[in-house]
């Protein structure tokens, strides 16, 4: 909300700079976001009179004007069209510098001489308006310095009024705040009206059909109104508040709204059918043309102001074009009412139409303020438009708010705030805010809550009032004291944190993606899981329309995006939730860990150029997963070959940790990675985070280490390709005694000499006993047993070394 | 040369022998002390002219020089003439190191973990909850008035199931209070969602950290002290904190908490929009109506709660200009968060 400081001074006396006022308001709960100075000294700018207008010979959008500056007549080329001969406007002559820094020079514009400029409001720094030149009242003498017309520069505070304080959406509301902070008086003008003989009640009847949505509706009539522009002082105040001046009647409704926060509406009385106002809910299929020129269909719950036949306004939001104040308006029906905030909010958001009026009504206006606002507006209209105010108000008031009293206890207040505020100080603060203390004893006081402060319901609300005026800064900071809450545990968070740290230690960098993705991205990885996807009914964009059901698609995207930026080699992990729709429609959330490897990660820098073999990235990732688990756990990581839509056929496994199914890993399907221009195999794995962190939570079980020396033996063998490392090591372990303490693969090769479908593997075996020195004979015996088992079970051909 | 001087010189010779780094240096030492024109022959020659009382002593020392230095030089010569010695000239210690580098934590994780750690010192544990929440826990239980703008369908992702994607992590506080009697000290980091159009400072998907402390006599003074402690721990010892009254449905009184700008020290710069202050957290004393809803006795307990945006803290702390950088996952960006 915009608050011109000079207007504020109408209602409260203060001896503070605008910055000091801003400081006071900010630290009492209404933040001043910025302070603007609007206007300038306007040196050299005068009121010019347009004497002649000719079309520009070579430009349709320009006009040639002859303008008087009071002493000379100057040719001025002008791009605006909103004026006629005799109009007056601010004229900047050659040599003048405008507030924006633009300097007026003698110029030829499309061949025509121009010695000055007729200014629009934005060029003068008065508003953003650039719809035409700024027209000034014709009665001002030509040549008068513009600064005398517009007045000195004004300071405007831009306020962020909190949602609960609808009473602060007005100049008087803010004056009330400042008066409380300064403990000074608030000066509210008393409207003076001299009513004519005509009686309002003869001219209009008001019926409220929807009392739940309209607690009060008051109508007044004015006759013999002279429509004209408002005086400069009013226009200036309106534009300082960001409201465009229109004419004296409409301007008064806006002026009073800005002044007291109560939105008003003026109808052309002649256009209100049958002299009737009916406040009612819309009927389905109804529509209304609003003041902004739009035809708006209305639905059932919308509150309308109607005459006997048609809607004439959307209550609290915008008036109808059919009863708009116009050139021919001679009598005015002035509406001052209160509406249900929720209803106005609903309508405003349904129509996508937010106005100064709806902004206030949806936060709540005070039904008790209806009469003052009506009187104030009638009085100003009569003063400016010369109208006759009919006697009395037709005031229908079914929803009078009851009296509300709230008790605040002094000791609880002190305890809650941790501050030693005296009883007297509290009572004084409450009274200064018009929260009148009606009674008090040694422990508490009772406050009569005024109708404009409907936000105050319970004691805590009053404590808030006390502390914001007392000053939060006045409360001492207490040194925090640590306390253990018995039974509180955050193991899942701590374990995930440790997991993250180990992944970082393994050289992986953490990524983070949105929880929602495009259906297209999910489809590109797997088209067959659409049933399990949680689709957002109201997404912001198609890019973010579906909740992710896996972290893999975004991992692919992330690797691909990095590759497109020439990052060839990277290892990523992401920890995050996936969302799966069950058949019942219920949504299941699961924390996952996803890892993605791209490029020659496992190679030393001197060995990176060699082509990457398919097995390599898979084994690097597998190694990283094993390292992650074994860093803090003891569960064995087991892989079983399975097919999975994300991965290449024959290159993916399901991963179990310590016997629990954890997820899948494999080589990303080639057609997916080709889309991202990834030339080399990419390994990706996705595991259930719970399984990973639980496996890592093992308490170390120590095994005795042997003090006796070890003996090693090598086994080299030729086996069919179908024999796996796992088969071989299993056979070794099964056949060997407990003295076999380590098996290490140290060579694999395939040559033509070995024959088709064969490979050679070589292992180093370590034997060691816990309780004795092994002899060479012992080792030879074990060695032979193992070799025999390999021959028997795999048909291995043992190569003698 | 008397015996004492000779003993000193022997020590020097041995030291030179021990520290010599090349075979050439060893040879020079040998020539200097044991060579034909070196120290040893000179001492031997001088023996006969020496004071008879020192003669025996000098002889002994001369022998020691010959034996010990000879042995040392022999041993060192072997050391230096080994494989490494021969290749010393080919050793390039400026070649790139060969060990896998560490990865990096995401800046959002860093802020969350760092914050949780700071509050852990005060006895706060982390509580987490689901992203998919009920409207009740996300709004009503938090005392959100029925026509409050945050209830707008336009601002919230409602799901077909009738649930919603939580717009704040406050529902976790409700979950904690629903299941646990006071006292409560929790910190609730997590992902939240609002239907914001993404731009440099908004993201429809973001993270929050909230805190809740409920006990017999918790005061606004405690809240102030805790936020000030947190600010200094997170941003550095010179960071100041100020509080402005504000409005949140969940708390009353409510405050907004600003940290003094760590970039300019409060003098004003582009980061703090020339105000010297950066808005970081919303906070306040838990509204008694919230206690009532979760079954706590509002007459028996008080509490404070606070909440802040993780992305915002990360942006302020690390000088990130655009929130979208946090979700772009460019490794050149991520690698800077060591
Ligand atoms: Zn700064």
């Amino acid at each position: 909300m915009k608050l011109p400081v000079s207007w504020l001074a109408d209602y409260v006396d203060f001896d503070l700079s605008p910055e000091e006022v801003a400081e006071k308001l900010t630290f009492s709960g209404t933040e001043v976001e910025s302070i603007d100075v609007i206007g300038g000294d306007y040196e050299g700018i005068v009121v010019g009179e347009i004497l002649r207008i000719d079309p520009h010979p070579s430009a349709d959008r320009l006009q040639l004007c002859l303008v008087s500056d009071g002493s000379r007549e100057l040719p001025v080329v002008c791009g605006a069209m909103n004026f006629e001969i005799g109009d007056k406007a601010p004229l900047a002559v050659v040599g003048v510098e405008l507030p924006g820094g633009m300097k007026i020079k003698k110029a030829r514009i499309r061949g025509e001489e121009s010695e000055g400029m007729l200014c629009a409001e934005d060029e003068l720094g008065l508003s953003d308006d650039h719809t035409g030149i700024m027209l000034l009242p014709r009665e001002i003498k030509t040549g008068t310095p513009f600064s005398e017309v517009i007045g000195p520069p004004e300071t405007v505070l831009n306020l962020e009024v909190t949602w609960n304080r609808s009473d602060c959406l007005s100049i008087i509301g803010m004056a009330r705040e400042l008066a409380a902070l300064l403990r000074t008086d608030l000066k509210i003008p008393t409207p003076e009206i001299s009513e004519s003989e005509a009686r309002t009640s003869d001219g209009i009847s008001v019926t409220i059909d929807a009392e739940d949505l309209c607690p009060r509706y008051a109508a007044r009539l004015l006759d013999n109104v002279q429509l004209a522009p408002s005086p400069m002082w009013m226009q200036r105040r309106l534009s300082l508040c960001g409201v465009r001046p229109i004419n004296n009647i409409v301007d008064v409704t806006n002026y009073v709204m800005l002044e007291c926060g109560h939105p008003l509406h003026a109808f052309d009385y002649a256009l209100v059918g049958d002299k009737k106002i009916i406040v009612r809910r819309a009927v389905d299929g109804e529509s209304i043309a609003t003041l902004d020129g739009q035809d708006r269909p209305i639905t059932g719950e919308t509150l309308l102001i109607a005459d006997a036949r048609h809607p004439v306004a959307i209550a609290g939001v915008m008036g109808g074009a059919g009863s708009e104040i116009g050139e021919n308006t001679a009598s005015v029906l002035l509406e001052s009412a209160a509406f249900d905030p929720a209803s106005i909010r609903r309508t405003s958001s349904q129509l996508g139409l937010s106005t100064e009026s709806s902004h206030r009504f949806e936060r709540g206006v005070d039904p008790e303020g209806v009469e003052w606002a009506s009187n104030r507006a009638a009085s100003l209209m009569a003063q400016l438009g010369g109208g006759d105010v009919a006697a009395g108000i037709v005031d229908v008031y079914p929803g009078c708010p009851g009296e509300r009293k709230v008790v605040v206890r002094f000791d609880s207040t002190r305890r809650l705030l941790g501050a030693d505020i005296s009883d007297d100080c509290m009572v004084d603060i409450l009274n200064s805010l018009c929260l009148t203390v009606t009674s008090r004893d040694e422990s508490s006081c009772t406050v009569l809550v005024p109708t404009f402060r409907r936000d105050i319901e319970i004691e805590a609300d009053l404590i808030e009032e006390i502390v914001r005026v007392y000053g939060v800064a006045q409360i001492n900071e207490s040194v925090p004291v640590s306390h253990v809450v018995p039974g509180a545990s955050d193991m899942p968070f701590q374990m995930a944190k440790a997991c993250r740290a180990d992944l970082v230690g393994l050289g992986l960098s953490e990524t983070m993606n949105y929880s929602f993705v495009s259906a297209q991205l999910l489809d590109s990885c797997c088209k067959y899981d659409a049933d399990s996807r949680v689709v957002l009914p109201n997404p912001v964009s198609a890019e973010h329309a579906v909740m992710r059901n896996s972290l893999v698609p975004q991992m692919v995207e992330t690797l691909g995006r990095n590759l497109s930026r020439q990052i060839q080699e990277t290892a990523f992990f992401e920890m995050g939730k996936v969302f799966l729709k069950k058949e019942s429609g219920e949504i299941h959330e699961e924390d996952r860990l996803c890892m993605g490897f791209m490029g020659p990660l496992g190679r030393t820098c001197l060995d990176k150029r060699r082509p990457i073999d398919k097995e390599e990235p898979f084994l690097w990732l597998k190694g990283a997963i094993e390292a992650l688990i074994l860093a803090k756990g003891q569960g064995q990581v087991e892989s079983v070959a399975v097919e999975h839509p994300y991965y290449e056929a024959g290159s993916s496994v399901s991963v179990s940790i310590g016997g629990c199914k954890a997820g899948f890993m494999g080589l990303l399907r080639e057609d997916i990675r080709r889309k991202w221009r990834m030339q080399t195999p990419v390994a990706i794995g996705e595991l259930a985070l719970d399984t990973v962190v639980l496996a890592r939570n093992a308490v170390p079980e120590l095994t005795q280490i042997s003090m006796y020396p070890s003996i090693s033996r090598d086994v080299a063998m030729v086996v069919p390709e179908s024999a796996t490392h796992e088969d071989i090591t299993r056979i070794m372990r099964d056949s060997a005694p407990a003295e076999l303490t380590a098996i290490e693969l140290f060579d694999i090769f395939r040559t033509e000499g070995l024959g088709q479908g064969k490979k050679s593997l070589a292992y180093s075996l370590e034997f060691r006993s816990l309780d004795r020195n092994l002899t060479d004979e012992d080792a030879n015996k074990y060695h032979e047993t193992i070799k025999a088992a390999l021959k028997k079970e795999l048909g291995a051909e043992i190569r003698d070394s | 040369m008397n015996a004492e001087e000779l003993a000193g010189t022997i020590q020097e010779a041995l030291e030179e022998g021990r520290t010599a780094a090349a075979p050439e240096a060893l040879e020079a030492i040998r020539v200097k002390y044991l060579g034909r024109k070196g120290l040893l022959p000179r001492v031997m020659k001088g023996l006969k002219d020496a004071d008879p009382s020192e003669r025996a002593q000098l002889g002994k020392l001369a022998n020691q020089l010959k034996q010990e230095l000879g042995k040392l030089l022999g041993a060192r010569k072997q050391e230096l003439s080994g494989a490494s010695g021969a290749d010393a000239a080919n050793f390039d210690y400026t070649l790139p190191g060969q060990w896998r580098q560490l990865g990096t934590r995401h800046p959002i994780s860093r802020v969350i973990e760092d914050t949780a750690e700071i509050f852990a010192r005060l006895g706060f544990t982390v509580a987490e909850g689901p992203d998919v929440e009920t409207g009740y826990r996300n709004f009503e239980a938090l005392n959100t008035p029925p026509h409050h703008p945050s209830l707008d369908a336009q601002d919230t992702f409602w799901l077909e199931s009738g649930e919603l994607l939580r717009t704040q992590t406050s529902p976790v506080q409700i979950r904690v209070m629903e299941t646990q009697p006071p006292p409560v000290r929790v910190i609730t980091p997590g992902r939240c969602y609002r239907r914001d159009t993404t731009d440099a400072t908004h993201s429809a998907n973001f993270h929050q950290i909230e805190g809740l402390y409920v006990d017999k006599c918790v005061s606004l003074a405690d809240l102030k002290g805790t936020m000030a402690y947190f600010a200094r721990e997170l941003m550095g010892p010179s960071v100041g904190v100020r509080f402005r009254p504000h409005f949140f449905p969940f708390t009353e009184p409510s405050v907004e908490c600003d940290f003094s700008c760590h970039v300019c020290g409060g003098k004003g710069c582009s980061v703090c929009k020339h105000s010297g202050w950066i808005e970081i957290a919303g906070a306040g004393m838990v509204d008694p109506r919230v206690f009532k809803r979760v079954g706590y006795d509002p007459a028996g307990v008080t509490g404070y709660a606070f909440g802040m945006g993780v992305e915002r803290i990360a942006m302020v702390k690390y000088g990130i200009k655009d929130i979208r950088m946090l979700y772009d996952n460019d490794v050149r960006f991520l690698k800077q968060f060591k």
Side-chain angles (χ1 to χ4, degrees):
Chain A
M1 192 188 84
K2 292 179 186 295
L3 176 64
V5 175
S6 65
W7 196 352
L8 180 68
D10 281 6
Y11 314 103
V12 58
D13 293 326
F14 54 90
D15 188 17
L16 303 170
S17 68
E19 288 74 20
E20 288 166 327
V21 172
E23 173 102 355
K24 288 222 171 278
L25 297 178
T26 293
F27 287 93
S28 61
T30 305
E31 188 183 355
V32 176
E33 290 174 323
S34 61
I35 303 176
D36 294 334
V37 176
I38 296 186
D41 56 13
Y42 298 121
E43 213 182 309
I45 301 179
V46 298
V47 176
E49 182 180 352
I50 295 148
L51 304 174
R52 213 173 68 210
I53 306 172
D54 295 313
H56 192 288
S58 52
D60 289 349
R61 298 185 163 210
L62 296 176
Q63 299 195 96
L64 299 182
C65 308
L66 189 65
V67 183
S68 164
D69 72 355
S71 52
R72 291 187 308 143
E73 291 174 6
L74 320 166
V76 172
V77 177
C78 183
M81 299 285 173
N82 66 322
F83 52 87
E84 49 197 60
I85 292 170
D87 274 342
K88 292 184 179 175
L91 171 69
V93 295
V94 171
V96 166
E97 194 176 324
L98 295 177
M102 177 182 170
K103 207 160 179 186
I104 307 297
K105 290 185 204 127
K106 193 165 179 170
R108 295 187 79 84
I109 301 170
R110 308 283 297 262
E112 296 297 324
E113 195 82 7
S114 183
E115 294 183 23
M117 178 170 146
L118 294 165
C119 304
E121 287 192 16
D122 66 335
E123 288 154 344
L124 297 165
L126 290 169
S127 76
D128 300 333
D129 192 356
H130 192 72
T131 52
I133 59 171
M134 180 182 185
L135 295 179
L136 301 171
R138 286 190 179 194
E139 56 272 17
I140 302 173
K141 195 166 161 266
T142 306
T144 310
F146 180 64
S147 59
E148 280 178 26
V149 178
I150 199 73
E154 292 271 1
T155 306
V156 176
L157 308 182
N158 289 299
L159 307 179
E160 189 207 338
V161 174
T162 56
W163 180 84
N164 59 326
R165 294 301 304 276
S166 56
D167 64 301
C168 284
L169 290 170
S170 66
I171 313 289
I172 288 177
M174 290 316 300
R176 191 184 292 120
E177 286 285 295
L178 189 60
L181 294 168
L182 300 174
R183 308 287 201 281
T184 181
D185 292 334
L186 177 67
K187 302 178 294 183
I188 299 179
T190 309
E192 277 165 31
I193 310 173
S194 51
E195 293 176 332
S196 68
E197 309 228 313
R199 289 160 53 90
T200 309
S201 54
D202 292 341
I204 193 80
S205 77
V206 172
T207 313
I208 302 180
D209 279 350
E211 291 187 355
D212 54 332
L213 303 184
C214 177
R216 189 173 189 181
Y217 194 102
R220 260 194 182 284
L221 292 177
L222 286 93
D223 280 332
N224 305 321
V225 168
Q226 307 291 316
L227 215 61
S230 310
M232 278 312 293
W233 63 266
M234 181 174 280
Q235 290 196 30
R236 175 100 166 114
R237 283 191 166 177
L238 292 178
S239 49
L240 287 175
C241 292
V243 174
R244 201 157 57 87
I246 294 169
N247 56 49
N248 48 7
I249 300 301
V250 174
D251 288 356
V252 165
T253 60
N254 285 328
Y255 183 87
V256 173
M257 171 186 70
L258 296 170
E259 183 182 41
C260 70
H262 203 114
L264 302 170
H265 187 69
F267 299 94
D268 185 329
Y269 174 63
L271 302 175
V272 175
D274 286 359
K275 304 177 178 181
K276 269 190 184 141
I277 285 291
I278 301 162
V279 185
R280 61 167 171 87
R281 285 183 164 81
V283 180
D284 276 335
E286 254 180 318
S287 70
I288 178 172
T290 43
L291 286 175
D292 56 0
Q294 292 212 41
D295 208 6
R296 296 177 182 275
I298 303 294
T299 52
E301 268 303 291
T302 306
L303 187 68
L304 292 177
I305 311 300
D307 62 14
R309 293 179 292 269
H310 312 288
V312 291
I314 301 172
V317 179
M318 192 175 267
S323 55
E324 183 179 359
I325 303 288
E327 277 170 53
N328 303 321
T329 302
S331 45
V332 169
L333 166 62
L334 174 65
E335 165 196 296
S336 178
F339 302 114
D340 174 57
S343 159
I344 303 298
R345 170 155 200 88
R346 208 163 39 233
T347 302
S348 160
S349 86
Q350 261 169 15
L351 297 173
L353 183 61
S354 179
T355 59
E356 291 277 350
S357 166
S358 69
H359 183 70
R360 287 171 174 79
F361 276 123
E362 68 188 27
R363 282 164 179 75
V365 305
D366 177 17
E368 288 291 288
V370 161
E371 197 176 347
W372 189 92
S374 177
N375 288 340
R376 173 71 167 159
S379 139
L380 283 170
M381 282 177 188
Q383 192 186 319
L384 307 182
D388 303 325
V389 182
I393 304 185
V394 173
D395 186 357
V396 185
Y397 194 1
C400 181
E403 190 177 83
R404 181 185 291 162
K405 286 187 169 173
V406 178
V407 174
V408 61
R409 295 162 298 167
F410 301 129
D411 274 342
S412 325
T413 305
R414 279 186 284 266
R415 261 206 310 277
L416 187 77
L417 299 178
D420 194 22
I421 309 175
S422 72
D423 301 0
D424 286 346
C425 177
M426 293 188 216
V427 169
D428 182 41
I429 287 172
L430 291 170
N431 279 325
S432 74
L433 286 164
C434 307
L435 300 165
T436 314
V437 173
T438 53
S439 66
R440 80 180 262 199
D441 55 30
E442 59 277 13
S443 65
S444 67
C445 67
T446 302
V447 168
L448 176 64
V449 180
T451 49
F452 56 80
R453 289 301 307 272
R454 300 310 281 180
D455 58 307
I456 291 175
E457 294 172 346
I458 61 172
E459 183 181 37
D461 298 313
L462 290 175
I463 297 176
E464 179 165 68
E465 294 302 301
I466 291 168
V467 71
R468 70 180 186 86
V469 174
Y470 179 76
V472 179
Q474 305 303 311
I475 293 175
N476 289 326
E477 291 169 7
S478 67
V479 179
V481 179
S482 176
H483 268 298
V484 169
V485 175
S489 160
D490 53 7
M491 278 309 284
F493 178 82
Q494 300 302 342
M495 292 194 310
K497 180 176 158 186
C499 188
R500 181 179 290 118
D502 282 346
L503 285 160
V504 167
L506 289 168
L508 282 71
S509 290
E510 188 182 16
T511 61
M512 218 171 261
N513 281 292
Y514 292 123
S515 297
F516 16 65
V517 294
S518 66
Q520 197 190 0
L521 179 67
L522 296 185
D523 286 344
S524 75
C525 291
C526 176
K527 288 196 181 79
Y528 314 108
D529 58 8
D531 288 349
S532 72
R533 296 180 191 170
V534 177
V535 179
L536 292 177
N538 55 349
V540 177
S541 67
E543 281 297 290
H544 298 147
V546 185
M547 302 302 288
R548 57 181 175 184
N549 57 2
S550 163
L551 303 182
V552 172
Q554 286 166 313
M555 179 59 78
V556 174
E557 185 183 45
T558 301
L559 292 170
R561 189 185 298 133
N562 275 277
L563 184 65
S564 75
R565 295 167 188 174
Q566 299 81 45
I567 312 293
Q568 315 276 355
E569 177 187 343
T570 185
F572 282 141
F573 75 96
E574 178 168 5
M575 290 161 81
K577 279 180 176 162
V578 301
F579 302 82
L580 304 164
K581 193 164 83 184
K582 296 188 193 166
E583 250 170 64
S584 61
E586 210 179 310
I587 298 165
H588 173 65
E589 289 178 37
E590 188 179 305
D591 281 295
R592 297 253 177 105
L593 165 64
C594 184
M595 298 158 83
F597 281 24
M598 175 175 76
L601 289 159
R603 303 259 188 87
T604 65
C605 69
L606 304 179
D607 189 26
K608 291 206 189 274
R609 295 288 185 91
R610 197 157 49 83
I612 296 175
D613 186 48
K614 269 198 154 196
E615 261 172 16
E616 279 181 283
F618 182 92
L619 295 178
W620 293 330
L621 178 56
K622 183 179 169 187
I625 292 175
E626 286 168 350
L628 177 70
I629 302 303
L630 296 176
K632 291 216 169 52
Q634 305 192 325
Q636 201 68 32
V637 181
E638 286 150 354
S639 311
V640 177
V642 289
E643 296 303 313
H644 190 285
Y646 294 158
Y647 305 115
E648 275 293 286
S651 306
S652 67
V653 295
S654 95
V655 179
S656 302
I657 303 170
C660 278
K661 269 209 151 61
F664 299 89
M665 65 162 288
L667 294 178
L668 181 63
R669 224 170 65 214
E670 191 166 338
D671 66 297
I672 305 175
R673 73 170 155 88
R674 292 284 172 199
K675 266 182 220 153
W676 294 96
R677 299 176 191 281
M678 298 170 187
Q679 307 298 330
T680 59
V682 165
I684 292 185
E686 188 182 32
L687 306 173
L689 188 62
D690 282 357
T691 316
V692 172
V693 297
L694 282 175
R696 286 167 42 89
N697 197 30
V699 178
E701 263 178 55
L702 292 188
T703 53
Q704 197 187 338
I705 52 171
S706 167
M707 290 300 148
Y708 296 94
S710 70
I711 297 181
S712 68
R713 291 283 182 274
D714 290 350
V715 182
M717 70 195 99
V718 177
V719 291
E721 284 285 4
S722 60
T724 65
H725 167 76
E726 197 181 89
D727 296 337
I728 294 167
T729 52
R730 182 178 38 78
I731 292 166
M732 287 176 173
R733 280 191 198 291
D734 289 352
S735 60
E739 280 78 4
L740 173 63
T741 46
I743 305 171
E744 217 163 276
L745 173 70
F746 68 88
D747 192 32
I748 304 179
F749 70 89
R750 296 169 173 88
T751 59
E752 282 179 24
L754 293 176
Q756 193 67 27
K758 300 246 170 155
K759 61 186 173 186
S760 164
L761 292 104
Y763 289 86
S764 158
L765 311 177
E766 184 199 75
F767 301 107
R768 200 196 285 265
S769 162
L770 270 178
D771 46 22
R772 66 189 171 97
N773 264 320
L774 292 184
T775 61
D776 276 340
E777 287 72 48
D778 291 329
N780 290 343
K781 199 175 84 191
Y782 304 152
H783 195 197
E784 290 306 323
T785 314
I786 290 170
K787 286 194 280 191
L790 290 167
K791 271 188 213 161
K792 182 167 165 242
E793 301 207 21
L794 292 176
E797 195 185 306
I798 306 295
R799 293 156 61 87
D800 284 320
S801 41
Chain B
M1 186 178 275
N2 64 29
E4 198 180 320
E5 285 167 352
L6 181 58
T9 308
I10 291 173
Q11 289 313 312
E12 280 170 31
L14 290 170
E15 185 59 28
E16 283 174 38
R18 277 192 287 270
T19 54
E24 295 74 29
L26 289 176
E27 181 56 16
I29 295 165
R30 195 193 62 76
V31 169
K32 183 175 166 194
Y33 294 105
L34 307 179
R36 217 153 34 85
K37 289 177 181 169
L39 179 66
L40 186 66
R42 283 206 308 277
V43 172
M44 296 305 284
K45 219 164 42 188
L47 268 184
K48 60 178 190 299
D49 303 327
D51 191 320
S53 64
E54 274 201 330
R55 196 176 294 154
Q57 177 73 1
L58 281 171
K60 216 169 140 190
L61 287 169
N63 194 43
Q64 185 196 347
L65 173 63
K66 190 179 168 186
Q67 296 300 323
E68 287 192 21
L69 185 60
K71 207 168 140 194
L72 174 70
L73 292 180
R76 291 297 326 272
K77 198 173 167 186
Q78 253 188 340
E79 248 177 69
L80 293 182
S81 67
S84 63
D87 292 346
N90 307 335
F91 178 79
D92 183 358
Y93 60 85
T94 66
L95 284 173
Q98 295 278 330
W99 197 258
R100 184 187 301 289
Q101 300 301 298
L102 295 182
T104 47
R105 268 187 302 167
H106 194 278
I108 289 175
S109 293
R110 281 174 71 112
V111 171
I112 290 176
E113 290 185 356
D114 293 355
T115 303
E117 214 169 290
I118 293 166
F119 280 97
R121 281 173 232 148
L122 301 181
F124 285 76
T125 46
V126 172
E128 294 169 293
D131 291 16
V132 176
E133 262 295 357
T134 60
Y136 172 76
R137 283 205 192 85
N138 194 77
F139 292 123
E140 286 158 75
L142 295 163
N143 196 41
T144 312
H147 53 288
H148 192 264
S150 67
L151 284 164
D152 254 359
Q154 291 156 4
D155 299 335
T156 304
F157 289 105
W158 289 91
L159 302 173
E160 268 171 13
S161 62
E163 295 161 299
L164 51 77
L165 296 177
R166 64 181 175 191
T167 62
Q168 47 196 350
T169 56
S170 321
V172 182
Q173 303 187 14
I174 299 297
R175 284 172 179 273
V176 169
M177 288 191 282
E178 280 171 348
T179 51
Q180 172 193 333
V184 169
R185 278 193 189 222
V186 291
I187 202 102
T188 63
R191 205 170 259 218
C192 308
Y193 308 84
R194 280 180 204 169
R195 289 191 74 249
D196 280 329
T197 306
T198 303
D199 62 22
T201 54
H202 292 87
S203 170
N205 168 147
F206 60 99
H207 293 76
Q208 267 197 344
I209 300 179
E210 299 192 11
L212 174 70
Y213 174 29
V214 182
D215 209 334
K216 282 203 189 70
C217 193
V218 183
S219 72
L220 186 63
D222 295 332
L223 170 63
K224 284 187 68 178
T226 303
M227 292 313 285
Y229 171 79
F230 169 64
R232 287 190 296 268
E233 292 295 307
L234 186 75
M235 308 299 283
S238 57
V239 164
V241 178
R242 70 174 194 187
F243 299 85
R244 288 174 286 106
H246 201 72
F247 169 75
F248 303 110
F250 181 66
T251 51
E252 192 149 50
S254 301
V255 289
E256 275 191 327
C257 176
D258 304 337
F259 290 4
S260 66
C261 178
H262 62 296
V263 175
C264 61
K267 286 191 219 65
C269 68
S270 64
V271 172
C272 56
K273 294 193 191 112
H274 306 285
S275 71
W277 294 93
I278 300 176
E279 194 180 310
I280 294 288
M285 306 308 294
V286 179
D287 194 299
R289 285 167 283 212
V290 174
F291 284 146
K292 237 182 238 167
R293 279 220 166 76
V294 297
Y296 283 12
D297 172 17
V301 290
T302 55
Y304 64 65
F306 56 85
M308 50 210 161
V310 178
E311 279 80 354
R312 177 161 174 78
I313 293 177
M315 290 170 80
V316 166
K317 188 168 175 186
Y318 305 123
I320 301 165
K321 299 268 186 307
D322 191 320
I323 199 168
R324 287 167 290 203
M325 284 304 292
L326 290 166
Y327 292 97
D328 183 60
N329 297 313
D330 189 309
V331 76
R332 293 165 299 172
F333 172 78
L334 297 174
K335 282 279 183 195
Q336 296 178 52
F337 295 92
K338 304 207 187 277

